[in-house]
Amino acid sequence: MRIAFIGLGNMGAPMARNLIKAGHQLNLFDLNKTVLAELAELGGQVSPSPKEAAANSELVITMLPAAAHVRSVYLNDDGVLAGVRPGTPTVDCSTIDPQTAREVSKAAAAKGVDMGDAPVSGGTGGAAAGTLTFMVGASAELFATLKPVLEQMGRNIVHCGEVGTGQIAKICNNLLLGISMIGVSEAMALGNALGIDTQVLAGIINSSTGRCWSSDTYNPWPGVIETAPASRGYTGGFGAELMLKDLGLATEAARQAHQPVILGAVAQQLYQAMSLRGEGGKDFSAIVEGYRKKD
Amino acid sequence: MRIAFIGLGNMGAPMARNLIKAGHQLNLFDLNKTVLAELAELGGQVSPSPKEAAANSELVITMLPAAAHVRSVYLNDDGVLAGVRPGTPTVDCSTIDPQTAREVSKAAAAKGVDMGDAPVSGGTGGAAAGTLTFMVGASAELFATLKPVLEQMGRNIVHCGEVGTGQIAKICNNLLLGISMIGVSEAMALGNALGIDTQVLAGIINSSTGRCWSSDTYNPWPGVIETAPASRGYTGGFGAELMLKDLGLATEAARQAHQPVILGAVAQQLYQAMSLRGEGGKDFSAIVEGYRKKD
Amino acid sequence: MRIAFIGLGNMGAPMARNLIKAGHQLNLFDLNKTVLAELAELGGQVSPSPKEAAANSELVITMLPAAAHVRSVYLNDDGVLAGVRPGTPTVDCSTIDPQTAREVSKAAAAKGVDMGDAPVSGGTGGAAAGTLTFMVGASAELFATLKPVLEQMGRNIVHCGEVGTGQIAKICNNLLLGISMIGVSEAMALGNALGIDTQVLAGIINSSTGRCWSSDTYNPWPGVIETAPASRGYTGGFGAELMLKDLGLATEAARQAHQPVILGAVAQQLYQAMSLRGEGGKDFSAIVEGYRKKD
Amino acid sequence: MRIAFIGLGNMGAPMARNLIKAGHQLNLFDLNKTVLAELAELGGQVSPSPKEAAANSELVITMLPAAAHVRSVYLNDDGVLAGVRPGTPTVDCSTIDPQTAREVSKAAAAKGVDMGDAPVSGGTGGAAAGTLTFMVGASAELFATLKPVLEQMGRNIVHCGEVGTGQIAKICNNLLLGISMIGVSEAMALGNALGIDTQVLAGIINSSTGRCWSSDTYNPWPGVIETAPASRGYTGGFGAELMLKDLGLATEAARQAHQPVILGAVAQQLYQAMSLRGEGGKDFSAIVEGYRKKD
């Protein structure tokens, strides 16, 4: 299949690589010449604009840093919607606010294009390994079309509902994740301060009502889970700045929906304070360090 | 075995019943004559004071509402420590602060009595069914002695470390639980307000990084989990007032340990506000109602 | 002086009336025909577009609900900047984010127009009475030009610095105000619950280190300050929805500046929860009702 | 007058000195021999126990660190109530929880002693200068008796109501103070990050609705108020650990009264986190440093 792939950053590039490996012909666009050269060597075709990339493709995929980029890549004069043929299935894999996802999809529909949203989880590791989770907001028909292609980049392709619901699913999950990680951090740090062995405490929590992914798979206390970032100096996981971005999307979406998110708002501010202390580059589970005395 | 059992409330009475059924002879004490009469009919022996109940027993078990009761039942002139024979294994199953647990145990040690703490989880249902979890703080020797007896009242007997660690494990787990439930409530209510199907959202969370007991087993959104209190009007689970008590223990223990618990403190206040609105008798998952428009 | 006045809502209309009274000739624009007719009767001239209103004016004033309106009124094809003569002093009195204030001012500068921001406080009462406070972000020269005109609508004209600083001053002040009002509410409700006379408590606070405008001038407890909204059913003051809007501007500006505002974020969520309960139309001091048992 | 003065710490010693200067004969008790020796040189009489100090006095004053000390100094076998003559006016100036204040006063009443509470504000500086504020919970008659003596140690003697209300007034005021200081810190730090001059911002707040003691008298931003601790490295004011103690009393009193204090609980945790970072010895206004990038 001839696929336009626009946005070749830390996530997009390995995703595109997996599609090339799977035998697709890719029309590529990015501002970064180096990554374009790399992917051209693997057989990708470099396009001069999103418009041209989309023009002769059977499917369009975008993977961009934020809502402003999605707007310009789709809506500008040399953007996707200026070139794409009516009827071409289109999907944006960026993590952005549901409002923008819906607006851009509406603009696409006006051109006869069915466009969905499919933000991912799984990080750069999952992108390289082709094990991402895709949360897809799309019509049933579009979902059916996208699924086999997304499966070449991911392992878990979930249909969340109409366009926008992919973004909603992702920000709601990450809102909860951001809160849970702080909850686990407070529970572990309190237990440690009161004198229980942290390994024992984690074991009890994990077989009790406090059980959660942030405790049993990604515990923030060093040494509790050997494979977690906490056990390797909080490197190489899901950075605190990315969590901060997602909590910003969640609280902003909540504000627009007139919906309170009290712990979510506090969580956002605590990651912001962590970032202010210069720790934003660490894995988000390093939030626990704010609860421990410096040695 | 002859066992003193002191404190026969909603939890203590069914626990004592299970011990009688298992063939033990019980010396009973409580201020409530009705429950004493009931258990006497099953074969229990009524004692005039904790002192006398403990005096000729081979094991002492207490199950009381709060730290003040534990202090008086053990330390008063007619209390357990005034009657118990040196060397008698002793365990308090109340949920209280770790500090008091350690102090009373120290007073017991001064009389030659090895006393542990073993707070439970599982509620009145688990107490009746004999399926409680006991979180035990005790010496290895005392734990070995207690275990077979506790197994006649519970299914999961966990050794947490020295005396006090049972309480620590319980309040740390429940601190996290109180936070997680609000986190799930905010995520579900936000998703609902933004327009995703709540059943779909719960499914995504439960197979993703937001996964937790509060979502996959006890989801606060009505209809998501058929067996959860949310699906039967928030009745018959773990009452918000009990959660409030445990969060009070957690934040007070944190204060004494000079340990911050930021989300934990906010969670406590939100359950307090729920209680002020007259909703404290509902299951604690009804906290989600504060995030939904009244119909 | 011939002045373009654009935006004649609850605030703008009485402000324009005061300028007409002071003898100025006004070019008016709004979408509301009724208010235009009213002001035309007083001598104002109705313009067909912001562009035409600005075209032959010596000064341009705008007073709009939100940033999106400011952008379109200034930047659209029939907007102010399409018509205004280079060199015409221009000021936007809307309360919006500092970022937009700076961007629109930059667009104005590109047309040779010096444009400042001057959000107000004092409410509709102050607008009618001509006693508003203007927080002005503008060059020293522009401030000198604007001051005498603003004095015909207000009593207190403060120069805050370059363009954007008017907005910054307003959102920082209102961030603090939103927090203080909740602080006073918690202190008064706690004192009341513990059994001190609330009038006595307010008196002590007002002569001590808790002293603040939210306590000594606008106390949320009914009966403490006779002239405060609390003493007339929380009507006729500064609505909770407006406070919510300003806290939204503050937390969003903080997010963009990577600056934590922890209590501010909690305050925003508490007003949001108040709004969800259907109380957003009341004066913002009614936040205290969430801390009191319903009768 | 012959006055028993018990508790001669950082606050009690200078208060006792002022009474000696005013011509009273003091019966002194403390565990610290050095301070006793010092005050004996000024003419004070050292007593071997609180009981003996109270025995032949016409008035009893106590100034102790916490509730546990108040209990033991009054209720122990060699305590005040074992020695004091019925009818002797008695006042405790410690800052403790209202519950304990009422209980000890009740025990005193059982011995025919009218005992009030009169916590102070003004710090060690005010104690030395005799300019303290006393918040007095006492019967009208006892207040009338105490007032002239308290005036020899303070400038502002406020009658708050019956016994316990002195403590209530103090913790409610300090609850608000702890919140306000963080509110001002967030507003100042946000303004600074957004680019307004902090001196200008403080000026605007101080003449607007954000006006409060924490801004106009004790501003946490260095240089804004020359006499504030912020302008001398956060030394020599009201230590963060003391604020933490008072917020602990407030949230604990709130818990017992089933009263939510949401911002108050967050404020307590933020001072606790400050203390964990090793900054608890600084003036409480140094909380602002958590909102600023380290240089």
Side-chain angles (χ1 to χ4, degrees), chain D residues 239-264:
Chain D
E241 295 293 355
L242 289 172
M243 174 51 82
L244 198 45
K245 178 197 164 193
D246 288 359
L247 288 173
L249 290 172
T251 55
E252 176 58 16
R255 192 187 66 76
Q256 288 178 19
H258 305 292
Q259 180 64 40
V261 282
I262 306 177
L263 291 196

Side-chain angles (χ1 to χ4, degrees), chain A residues 34-289:
Chain A
T34 317
V35 72
L36 284 172
E38 257 175 64
L39 288 164
E41 268 187 38
L42 300 176
Q45 182 100 19
V46 176
S47 300
S49 70
K51 177 181 169 179
E52 306 247 354
N56 63 340
S57 294
E58 298 156 85
L59 178 69
V60 177
I61 300 176
T62 51
M63 185 57 166
L64 300 155
H69 309 89
V70 174
R71 282 183 194 280
S72 60
V73 158
Y74 278 87
L75 307 179
N76 276 4
D77 289 349
D78 65 346
V80 168
L81 297 188
V84 67
R85 285 175 303 209
T88 311
T90 296
V91 64
D92 177 41
C93 298
S94 320
T95 294
I96 62 169
D97 62 287
Q99 189 64 18
T100 298
R102 283 163 171 162
E103 281 170 24
V104 175
S105 175
K106 212 169 167 182
K111 303 255 178 177
V113 170
D114 193 3
M115 174 188 169
D117 59 310
V120 306
S121 70
T124 53
T131 59
L132 293 170
T133 291
F134 286 84
M135 287 160 269
V136 187
S139 65
E141 204 182 354
L142 178 58
F143 180 73
T145 307
L146 294 173
K147 196 167 183 238
V149 181
L150 298 180
E151 278 170 340
Q152 290 162 340
M153 300 181 286
R155 192 154 48 193
N156 197 13
I157 320 298
V158 190
H159 191 200
C160 303
E162 291 304 306
V163 69
T165 56
Q167 303 296 350
I168 296 170
K170 178 157 184 194
I171 64 178
C172 289
N173 181 75
N174 283 13
L175 172 71
L176 175 52
L177 173 59
I179 293 169
S180 294
M181 183 52 80
I182 301 180
V184 173
S185 296
E186 295 189 356
M188 295 298 296
L190 177 59
N192 181 62
L194 293 174
I196 195 172
D197 180 87
T198 49
Q199 196 82 41
V200 169
L201 176 57
I204 292 164
I205 286 173
N206 294 345
S207 63
S208 182
T209 52
R211 168 175 63 76
C212 59
W213 183 89
S214 294
S215 176
D216 65 22
T217 304
Y218 212 85
N219 200 293
W221 204 266
V224 168
I225 305 282
E226 281 313 315
T227 55
S231 298
R232 51 172 194 267
Y234 302 104
T235 58
F238 181 56
E241 295 292 354
L242 288 172
M243 174 52 83
L244 198 45
K245 179 198 163 191
D246 288 0
L247 289 173
L249 290 172
T251 55
E252 177 58 16
R255 191 187 66 75
Q256 287 178 19
H258 305 293
Q259 180 64 39
V261 282
I262 305 177
L263 291 195
V266 180
Q268 179 185 4
Q269 299 303 325
L270 296 180
Y271 291 107
Q272 188 64 74
M274 175 184 170
S275 167
L276 188 75
R277 293 193 298 267
E279 314 282 319
K282 294 187 180 176
D283 181 74
F284 81 115
S285 65
I287 193 80
V288 77
E289 295 187 311

Side-chain angles (χ1 to χ4, degrees), chain D:
Chain D
M1 204 187 281
R2 178 153 290 277
I3 300 174
F5 202 110
I6 297 161
L8 301 161
N10 291 331
M11 293 296 291
M15 289 164 70
R17 245 177 244 122
N18 281 329
L19 290 180
I20 293 172
K21 269 191 230 162
H24 298 289
Q25 292 182 288
L26 263 61
N27 290 349
L28 303 164
F29 180 79
D30 197 278
L31 298 176
N32 179 335
K33 305 287 177 202
T34 317
V35 72
L36 285 171
E38 256 176 63
L39 288 164
E41 266 188 38
L42 299 177
Q45 181 99 19
V46 176
S47 300
S49 70
K51 177 180 169 178
E52 306 249 353
N56 64 340
S57 294
E58 297 157 86
L59 179 69
V60 177
I61 300 175
T62 52
M63 186 57 166
L64 300 155
H69 310 90
V70 174
R71 282 184 192 282
S72 60
V73 158
Y74 278 89
L75 307 179
N76 276 4
D77 289 349
D78 66 346
V80 167
L81 296 187
V84 67
R85 286 176 304 209
T88 311
T90 296
V91 65
D92 176 41
C93 298
S94 320
T95 294
I96 61 170
D97 62 287
Q99 188 64 20
T100 298
R102 282 163 172 162
E103 281 170 25
V104 175
S105 176
K106 212 169 166 182
K111 303 255 177 175
V113 169
D114 194 3
M115 175 188 169
D117 58 310
V120 305
S121 70
T124 52
T131 58
L132 294 169
T133 292
F134 286 85
M135 288 159 270
V136 188
S139 64
E141 204 182 354
L142 178 58
F143 180 72
T145 308
L146 295 173
K147 196 167 180 238
V149 181
L150 299 180
E151 278 169 341
Q152 290 162 340
M153 300 180 286
R155 192 153 48 189
N156 196 12
I157 321 298
V158 189
H159 191 200
C160 304
E162 291 304 306
V163 69
T165 56
Q167 302 296 348
I168 295 170
K170 178 158 185 193
I171 65 178
C172 289
N173 180 75
N174 283 12
L175 172 71
L176 175 52
L177 173 60
I179 293 168
S180 294
M181 183 53 79
I182 301 180
V184 173
S185 296
E186 295 189 356
M188 296 297 295
L190 177 58
N192 181 60
L194 293 175
I196 195 172
D197 180 87
T198 49
Q199 195 83 38
V200 169
L201 177 57
I204 291 164
I205 286 173
N206 295 344
S207 63
S208 182
T209 51
R211 169 175 61 76
C212 59
W213 184 89
S214 294
S215 176
D216 66 22
T217 305
Y218 211 85
N219 200 292
W221 204 266
V224 169
I225 306 283
E226 281 313 314
T227 55
S231 298
R232 52 173 192 263
Y234 301 103
T235 58
F238 181 57
E241 295 293 355
L242 289 172
M243 174 51 82
L244 198 45
K245 178 197 164 193
D246 288 359
L247 288 173
L249 290 172
T251 55
E252 176 58 16
R255 192 187 66 76
Q256 288 178 19
H258 305 292
Q259 180 64 40
V261 282
I262 306 177
L263 291 196
V266 180
Q268 179 186 4
Q269 300 302 324
L270 296 180
Y271 291 107
Q272 187 64 74
M274 176 184 169
S275 167
L276 188 76
R277 292 193 299 269
E279 314 282 319
K282 292 187 181 174
D283 181 74
F284 81 116
S285 65
I287 193 80
V288 77
E289 294 187 311
Y291 291 94
R292 303 185 67 175
K293 224 173 221 157
K294 285 267 160 57
D295 297 324

Side-chain angles (χ1 to χ4, degrees), chain B:
Chain B
M1 202 187 282
R2 180 152 289 277
I3 300 175
F5 203 111
I6 297 161
L8 301 160
N10 291 332
M11 293 296 292
M15 289 165 70
R17 246 178 243 120
N18 281 328
L19 290 180
I20 292 172
K21 268 191 233 163
H24 299 289
Q25 293 184 288
L26 261 61
N27 291 349
L28 302 164
F29 180 79
D30 197 277
L31 298 177
N32 179 334
K33 305 286 175 202
T34 317
V35 72
L36 284 171
E38 257 176 63
L39 289 164
E41 266 188 39
L42 299 177
Q45 180 99 20
V46 176
S47 300
S49 71
K51 178 181 169 178
E52 307 249 353
N56 64 340
S57 294
E58 297 156 87
L59 178 70
V60 178
I61 300 176
T62 51
M63 186 57 166
L64 301 155
H69 309 90
V70 174
R71 282 183 193 280
S72 60
V73 158
Y74 278 89
L75 307 179
N76 276 5
D77 289 349
D78 66 347
V80 168
L81 296 188
V84 67
R85 284 175 306 209
T88 312
T90 296
V91 65
D92 176 43
C93 298
S94 320
T95 295
I96 61 170
D97 63 285
Q99 189 64 19
T100 298
R102 282 163 171 162
E103 280 169 25
V104 175
S105 176
K106 212 168 167 184
K111 303 256 176 173
V113 170
D114 194 3
M115 173 188 171
D117 58 311
V120 306
S121 70
T124 53
T131 59
L132 293 170
T133 292
F134 286 86
M135 288 160 269
V136 188
S139 64
E141 205 182 355
L142 178 58
F143 180 73
T145 308
L146 295 173
K147 198 168 181 238
V149 181
L150 298 180
E151 277 169 342
Q152 290 162 340
M153 300 181 285
R155 193 152 50 190
N156 196 11
I157 320 298
V158 189
H159 191 200
C160 303
E162 291 303 306
V163 69
T165 56
Q167 302 296 349
I168 295 169
K170 179 158 184 195
I171 64 177
C172 289
N173 181 74
N174 283 12
L175 171 72
L176 175 53
L177 173 60
I179 292 168
S180 292
M181 183 53 79
I182 301 179
V184 173
S185 296
E186 295 189 357
M188 295 298 296
L190 177 59
N192 182 62
L194 293 175
I196 194 172
D197 180 86
T198 50
Q199 197 83 41
V200 169
L201 177 58
I204 292 164
I205 287 172
N206 294 345
S207 62
S208 182
T209 52
R211 170 175 60 75
C212 58
W213 183 90
S214 294
S215 176
D216 66 21
T217 303
Y218 211 84
N219 200 293
W221 204 266
V224 168
I225 306 282
E226 280 314 315
T227 54
S231 297
R232 51 172 194 266
Y234 301 105
T235 59
F238 181 56
E241 295 292 355
L242 288 172
M243 175 50 84
L244 200 43
K245 178 197 164 193
D246 288 0
L247 288 174
L249 290 172
T251 55
E252 177 58 16
R255 193 189 64 77
Q256 287 178 19
H258 306 292
Q259 180 65 38
V261 282
I262 304 176
L263 291 196
V266 179
Q268 178 185 4
Q269 300 302 325
L270 295 180
Y271 291 107
Q272 188 63 73
M274 175 184 170
S275 167
L276 188 76
R277 292 192 300 267
E279 313 282 319
K282 293 187 180 175
D283 180 74
F284 81 115
S285 65
I287 192 81
V288 77
E289 295 188 311
Y291 291 94
R292 301 186 68 176
K293 225 172 221 158
K294 283 269 159 56
D295 297 324

